[in-house]
Amino acid sequence: MDSLQTKKDFVIYVVVIMCNPNGGIDNGGAPRNDYDGYGIISDVCIKRKLRNRMQDLGYDIFVKSEGRQDDGFLCLRDRAKQLENFGNSDEFAKQACGKWLDVRSFGQLFAFKDDKDKGGKGISKGIRGPVSVQIGMSVDPVEIVTMDITKSTNSESSDGKRDSDTIGKKSFVRFGLYRIAGSINTQLSESTGFCEEDAEVIKKCLQSLFDNDASAARPEGSMEVVKMYWFDHGCKDGRYPSGKVQRSVTAKLKDGVDVPRSINDYEFGVTPLEGIKMEEYSSI
């Protein structure tokens, strides 16, 4: 297939209700936020969810989460070694891009040492992908609530007696509207083979980003993509800088609202840009 011919930009808005959108390891797993109280979702977290959706849609990906290993390979090296050109950096890169959609989209660093004990070659090859995703930020500061919880299950016993309950904590965002933006670069698509059909897959994955993502920290329905704006520049280099295109979309509190409690407290707007084709998806 031909590589992507027109630059793309996108902006999505995600509603977070009584859940933990992305826990921070350095803060006991509590929702990430900055010093001003704005909520954060890391770009790594977003790409993980995009990869999961690619896999759900039937596409082969290279970086699979532990609970989604479906090909029998327990590590990335073993998965990479299935390709015939493992050890030949340039040929391997072409084959990897052709096989795995996430490599073709986001790029990948393949860095595996020589397997001297088994007489195998290593590989060192970096691939830059055309799809870039920014860190998600809440539109307004969020309230993070922490509550005590107890675990009453008797996991262990001491001298035949029931152990005491375990006490812990659970943190969540009461309500937040998060903004995530990204871009798809045509020049980098030429090196990976990323095409228009792949861009459509990215669009579908963004619209359904939290399908099959439920957990104790994120119950079903607690996170939802409520707005998506998809921009097509109509040319390879782009008619405007990505920042300007992404800033053309705004979300702000309605008059009289000081603290947002629901999506109905926001109003959305788009400033038209000449020559830019825009598609809007909304679940509200």
Side-chain angles (χ1 to χ4, degrees):
M1 297 182 182
D2 294 335
S3 60
L4 192 70
Q5 298 300 304
T6 58
K7 182 181 178 181
K8 319 285 187 186
D9 283 295
F10 57 84
V11 176
I12 67 172
Y13 286 96
V14 176
V15 161
V16 173
I17 304 173
M18 302 291 285
C19 73
N20 186 344
N22 183 207
I25 298 174
D26 57 350
N27 194 26
R32 299 176 189 267
N33 66 331
D34 64 13
Y35 290 111
D36 294 321
Y38 289 85
I40 297 172
I41 302 177
S42 74
D43 56 325
V44 176
C45 173
I46 298 164
K47 288 180 181 179
R48 175 71 271 159
K49 296 182 190 304
L50 284 169
R51 284 186 168 97
N52 289 348
R53 292 302 297 139
M54 291 175 182
Q55 196 173 5
D56 289 341
L57 294 174
Y59 294 91
D60 201 359
I61 63 172
F62 179 66
V63 182
K64 302 181 181 183
S65 59
E66 184 176 357
R68 287 173 166 260
Q69 307 291 341
D70 57 2
D71 54 9
F73 298 109
L74 301 179
C75 66
L76 294 179
R77 182 189 180 93
D78 289 345
R79 185 169 295 123
K81 285 180 66 177
Q82 69 175 296
L83 300 188
E84 297 176 358
N85 293 306
F86 187 84
N88 184 328
S89 295
D90 291 337
E91 292 301 318
F92 172 83
K94 292 179 182 178
Q95 196 172 358
C97 288
K99 180 173 179 57
W100 294 304
L101 178 56
D102 59 332
V103 176
R104 200 159 64 245
S105 302
F106 308 125
Q108 182 66 35
L109 175 61
F110 296 94
F112 304 115
K113 296 180 180 179
D114 291 343
D115 193 353
K116 296 179 180 179
D117 294 339
K118 299 180 181 179
K121 292 183 178 180
I123 191 169
S124 179
K125 180 67 176 179
I127 299 174
R128 292 180 63 195
V131 181
S132 60
V133 180
Q134 299 175 16
I135 293 172
M137 293 288 294
S138 64
V139 177
D140 293 288
V142 297
E143 178 186 356
I144 297 177
V145 180
T146 299
M147 64 180 183
D148 295 330
I149 58 174
T150 58
K151 177 183 176 184
S152 300
T153 304
N154 189 31
S155 300
E156 302 287 345
S157 62
S158 300
D159 300 326
K161 297 180 180 180
R162 185 185 187 282
D163 279 358
S164 59
D165 293 347
T166 303
I167 298 175
K169 293 183 179 296
K170 183 173 185 176
S171 299
F172 55 89
V173 171
R174 184 173 180 181
F175 173 82
L177 179 67
Y178 287 68
R179 182 183 189 274
I180 300 169
S183 183
I184 308 179
N185 180 289
T186 56
Q187 280 74 27
L188 292 174
S189 73
E190 294 175 356
S191 61
T192 68
F194 187 93
C195 62
E196 189 68 40
E197 288 79 3
D198 295 331
E200 288 297 314
V201 175
I202 296 293
K203 186 195 300 184
K204 290 179 181 178
C205 292
L206 287 168
Q207 290 176 352
S208 59
L209 193 59
F210 303 102
D211 287 5
N212 300 328
D213 188 57
S215 68
R218 299 179 304 280
E220 195 77 48
S222 62
M223 294 188 70
E224 178 189 6
V225 176
V226 292
K227 288 280 188 178
M228 185 184 80
Y229 301 89
W230 184 268
F231 300 93
D232 190 323
H233 289 247
C235 60
K236 281 193 171 185
D237 294 332
R239 298 184 184 277
Y240 306 92
S242 289
K244 182 172 183 176
V245 175
Q246 294 163 8
R247 288 194 303 272
S248 70
V249 179
T250 58
K252 63 179 182 179
L253 291 173
K254 294 180 178 178
D255 292 341
V257 178
D258 295 322
V259 179
R261 295 301 185 195
S262 78
I263 188 61
N264 296 324
D265 292 331
Y266 283 94
E267 58 184 13
F268 298 86
V270 183
T271 302
L273 296 174
E274 185 178 355
I276 298 288
K277 178 183 177 182
M278 186 198 76
E279 297 177 45
E280 179 179 352
Y281 161 86
S282 176
S283 67
I284 57 175

